[in-house]
């Protein structure tokens, strides 16, 4: 795909007839699971049990979250994704898109996850080891369900290396090159995690977000580092990301979805209309 | 309130089943085309690319059964590629024939204009709005919802272009480009977005469908 050029600006664009055109942002809650628990880590290690994932997902759904991501963080240990049951139980009453990741290696794994209630699959290790898998999934199920999950660690100014197995294994791949290739192969979306920021609440790696969003034209979900709404605004205003994945700030109740949504709207972005907020 | 869901091997049927149940309905997965003959209501799902869905629809024997059902005047709902299939043809990866129930074609979303980039696939929650010259919401599956305050979830790369304005039920604006979010022609309704993934707004659409 051709490189993207963006109108990255804080104010909405003005289109024909003077209508303001807002850039849309999705607010996604990311739940890292070590079945049966929702856990939280710092820099993708040092895990702490937070609670029951379905309970949290249901609560976020009630608060108007746009999407849910379930990551099985011990899938590589067991050689498979164990979230099928959680997926079905969640999809039973949570009517927003659900993405599942962790240990997905074959298109048969994908079929099972989609059948269990997932709308999208996030693949990292499986794609690095077998890039043709991306194309296979995109062709069989559609690129809209094929999310390329990338864990990025900075190696120098303006360069990042892709990691697998929850930030433990180096791949030797340059993040921007790998993502470009993954999108050419058929990935419909990118989940981009800054390993060094994860759980720190010190803000997103905006240079990383900018580098990747300038290189490809598929939607990008930024993950890792959100501690305040200002972090989110800085990321949105200075890169072309389309969605913000949040874990720590939501799981530990530091911010509510309503607050985060209001901040994005006030900052000039289009967010999901939530009926009870609209009636205020 | 029974709803037959066309099960032709495509789509996340589980969520549609659950959305119907949550809305008070009784979903039935129909793999046998003859089941549609006596169905009260039919939903046609679809995800991925147009042509594989169309092919599977033909191979399953559902193609003719759907056209026949649409003629009965009973409520019919197409979702996502299920809406695109209602049209005469899609230009996705070639030129592929659709059911021809609503005149028009399915075309690529233009990726760039003077305002910048439109990312494809178009993914996100967008507020449904009236379509200019289109069908009013009152009396449709959008009854009870408020234009511009009812967001639904979209994920697609192609856009329906109905020949007749009157068949447009709802639009969403995608950086200055009008996405056809919903269509209605008599008993046939289509949604480009996913009601089964659109939270309370989507469940309201499902409840309206069950009430027709």
């Amino acid at each position: 795909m051709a490189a993207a050029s963006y109108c990255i600006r804080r104010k909405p664009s003005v289109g024909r007839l003077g209508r303001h055109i807002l850039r849309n942002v999705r607010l996604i809650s990311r739940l890292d699971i070590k079945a049966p628990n929702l856990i939280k880590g710092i820099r993708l290690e040092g895990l702490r049990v937070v609670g029951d994932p379905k309970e949290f997902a249901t609560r976020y759904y009630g608060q108007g979250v746009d999407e849910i991501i379930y990551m099985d963080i011990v899938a590589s240990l067991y050689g498979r994704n164990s979230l099928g049951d959680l997926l079905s139980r969640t999809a039973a009453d949570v009517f927003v898109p659900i993405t599942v990741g962790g240990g997905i290696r074959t298109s048969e794994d994908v079929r099972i996850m989609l059948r269990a209630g997932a709308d999208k699959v996030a693949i990292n290790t499986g794609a690095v080891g077998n890039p043709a898998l991306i194309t296979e999934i995109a062709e069989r199920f559609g690129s809209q369900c094929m999310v390329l999950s990338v864990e990025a660690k900075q190696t120098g100014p303006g360069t990042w290396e892709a990691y697998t197995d929850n930030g433990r294994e180096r791949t030797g791949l340059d993040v921007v090159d790998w993502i470009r290739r993954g999108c050419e192969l058929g990935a419909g979306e990118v989940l981009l995690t800054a390993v060094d920021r994860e759980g720190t609440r010190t803000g997103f790696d905006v240079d990383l977000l900018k580098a990747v969003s300038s290189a490809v034209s598929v939607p990008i979900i930024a993950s890792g580092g959100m501690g305040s709404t200002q972090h989110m605004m800085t990321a949105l205003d200075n890169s072309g990301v389309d969605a913000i994945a949040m874990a720590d700030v939501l799981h530990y109740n530091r911010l509510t979805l309503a607050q985060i949504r209001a901040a994005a709207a006030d900052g000039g972005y289009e967010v999901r209309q939530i009926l009870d907020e609209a009636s205020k | 309130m029974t709803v037959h869901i066309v099960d032709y091997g495509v789509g996340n049927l589980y969520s549609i089943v659950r959305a119907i149940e949550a809305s008070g309905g009784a979903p039935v997965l129909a793999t046998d085309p003859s089941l549609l003959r006596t169905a009260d209501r039919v939903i046609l799902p679809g995800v991925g690319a147009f042509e594989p869905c169309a092919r599977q629809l033909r191979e399953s024997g559902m193609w003719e059964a759907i056209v026949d059902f649409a003629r009965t005047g009973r409520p019919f709902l197409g979702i996502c590629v299920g809406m695109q299939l209602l049209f005469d043809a899609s230009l996705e990866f070639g030129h592929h024939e659709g059911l021809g129930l609503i005149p028009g074609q399915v075309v690529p979303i233009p990726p760039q204009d003077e305002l910048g980039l439109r990312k494809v696939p178009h993914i996100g929650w967008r507020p449904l709005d009236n379509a200019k010259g289109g069908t009013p919401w009152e009396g449709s599956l959008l009854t009870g919802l408020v234009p511009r305050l009812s967001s639904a979830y979209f994920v697609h790369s192609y856009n329906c272009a109905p020949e007749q304005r009157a068949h447009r039920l709802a639009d969403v604006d995608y950086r200055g480009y009008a996405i056809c979010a919903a269509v209605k022609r008599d008993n046939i309704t289509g949604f480009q977005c996913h009601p089964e993934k659109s939270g309370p707004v989507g469940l309201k659409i499902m409840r309206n469908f069950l009430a027709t």
Side-chain angles (χ1 to χ4, degrees):
Chain A
M1 292 189 179
S5 66
Y6 283 90
C7 294
I8 297 171
R9 49 172 85 131
R10 197 180 165 81
K11 294 277 189 307
S13 319
V14 179
R16 279 172 231 99
L17 307 175
R19 284 185 60 207
H20 281 194
I21 293 170
L22 305 181
R23 200 172 113 213
N24 184 266
V25 63
R26 282 172 282 148
L27 303 175
I28 302 179
S29 93
R30 174 181 173 149
L31 292 89
D32 292 340
I33 317 283
K34 189 180 174 193
N37 297 309
L38 168 64
I39 61 93
K40 191 65 204 81
I42 292 179
R43 295 199 189 88
L44 293 179
E45 37 190 1
L47 310 176
R48 205 206 298 187
V49 172
V50 179
D52 170 39
K54 164 91 202 270
E55 218 177 273
F56 278 75
T58 304
R59 188 183 322 148
Y60 298 148
Y61 171 65
Q63 292 169 1
V65 80
D66 292 347
E67 298 183 29
I68 304 273
I69 297 177
Y70 278 150
M71 294 298 270
D72 182 342
I73 61 156
V74 290
S76 47
L77 273 172
Y78 294 105
R80 61 181 185 85
N81 184 301
S82 314
L83 303 190
D85 176 64
L86 173 63
L87 262 174
S88 302
R89 285 188 296 115
T90 305
D93 355 79
V94 169
F95 297 101
V96 294
I98 304 171
T99 302
V100 70
I104 297 169
R105 297 270 192 279
T106 66
S107 73
E108 182 58 18
D109 290 341
V110 175
R111 191 191 67 82
I112 291 169
M113 291 290 110
L114 298 182
R115 230 185 144 67
D119 299 284
K120 303 186 253 179
V121 292
I123 305 186
N124 181 3
T125 310
V128 166
N130 176 22
L133 179 67
I134 299 172
T135 308
E136 197 185 327
I137 292 170
E139 284 179 355
R140 189 169 165 194
F141 306 104
S143 61
Q144 82 291 332
C145 92
M146 174 58 235
V147 180
L148 184 67
S149 175
V150 179
E151 291 159 10
K153 245 191 223 187
Q154 187 144 28
T155 50
T159 60
W160 295 262
E161 183 177 352
Y163 275 64
T164 61
D165 290 328
N166 262 41
R168 283 189 284 270
E169 296 292 320
R170 303 184 55 184
T171 64
L173 295 171
D174 174 84
V175 162
V176 175
D177 289 344
W178 167 233
I179 290 176
R180 224 183 247 127
R181 189 166 158 223
C183 293
E184 277 162 18
L185 287 168
E189 205 172 0
V190 175
L191 172 61
L192 181 57
T193 304
V195 175
D196 295 328
R197 299 296 181 110
E198 235 274 319
T200 65
R201 292 182 283 122
T202 54
F204 293 97
D205 182 343
V206 179
D207 292 334
L208 168 68
L209 303 183
K210 200 194 297 205
V212 171
S213 61
S214 306
V216 294
S217 57
V218 306
I220 296 164
I221 305 166
S223 186
M226 178 153 166
S228 69
T229 56
Q230 189 48 57
H231 292 153
M232 172 180 69
M233 299 317 300
T234 304
L236 292 172
D237 291 347
N238 295 287
S239 78
V241 297
D242 308 85
I244 304 289
M246 302 167 284
D248 198 290
V249 283
L250 293 178
H251 303 334
Y252 293 123
N253 228 346
R254 303 184 202 277
L255 290 169
T256 66
L257 277 159
Q259 287 171 320
I260 297 165
R261 200 163 30 239
D266 290 345
Y269 293 88
E270 179 187 73
V271 294
R272 177 181 167 194
Q273 297 296 318
I274 303 296
L275 222 48
D276 52 340
E277 283 166 19
S279 60
K280 284 188 186 115
Chain B
M1 288 180 284
T2 312
V3 182
H4 280 73
I5 305 165
V6 180
D7 183 356
Y8 61 114
V10 171
N12 179 354
L13 301 189
Y14 181 64
S15 292
I16 296 176
V17 162
R18 280 298 309 144
I20 293 168
E21 286 172 349
S23 307
V28 175
L29 290 180
T31 43
D32 178 359
S34 66
L35 285 176
L36 299 195
R37 242 177 267 140
T38 49
D40 291 330
R41 287 170 204 82
V42 170
I43 290 182
L44 176 64
V47 292
F50 184 96
E51 197 277 325
C53 290
R55 188 174 4 106
Q56 283 195 233
L57 210 55
R58 284 189 209 276
E59 282 170 13
S60 64
M62 283 294 186
W63 189 278
E64 295 78 16
I66 287 167
V67 174
D68 289 343
F69 180 83
R71 285 205 196 100
T72 65
R74 285 179 242 137
F76 183 88
L77 171 60
I79 296 175
C80 196
V81 179
M83 163 165 148
Q84 296 178 356
L85 284 163
L86 298 174
F87 287 82
D88 293 321
S90 171
L91 302 183
E92 181 175 6
F93 301 134
H95 186 279
H96 302 289
E97 200 188 313
L99 292 160
L101 295 171
I102 298 187
Q105 287 197 320
V106 184
V107 300
I109 295 172
Q112 194 144 11
D113 64 8
E114 67 279 358
L115 283 179
L117 189 82
R118 283 187 203 95
K119 294 201 182 188
V120 177
H122 170 225
I123 303 181
W125 290 82
R126 316 304 313 291
L128 299 173
D129 202 352
N130 290 304
K132 216 189 292 191
T135 303
W137 288 17
E138 191 58 43
S140 78
L141 298 195
L142 294 173
T143 298
L145 290 170
V146 182
R148 291 189 300 283
L149 292 183
S150 308
S151 294
Y153 188 84
F154 289 78
V155 52
H156 61 116
S157 304
Y158 284 74
N159 183 36
C160 296
E163 265 173 32
Q164 297 180 35
R165 273 178 188 253
H167 290 156
R168 295 183 91 107
L169 176 60
D171 281 355
V172 300
D173 176 274
Y174 188 20
R175 297 184 70 77
Y177 176 74
I179 298 273
C180 182
V183 288
K184 181 181 185 320
R185 183 187 189 185
D186 304 321
N187 59 310
I188 300 167
T189 306
F191 279 94
Q192 180 65 75
C193 54
H194 288 265
E196 76 282 10
K197 291 283 148 187
S198 295
V201 166
L203 293 179
K204 174 67 176 153
I205 291 170
M206 287 304 201
R207 279 200 305 277
N208 286 341
F209 184 60
L210 291 168
T212 52

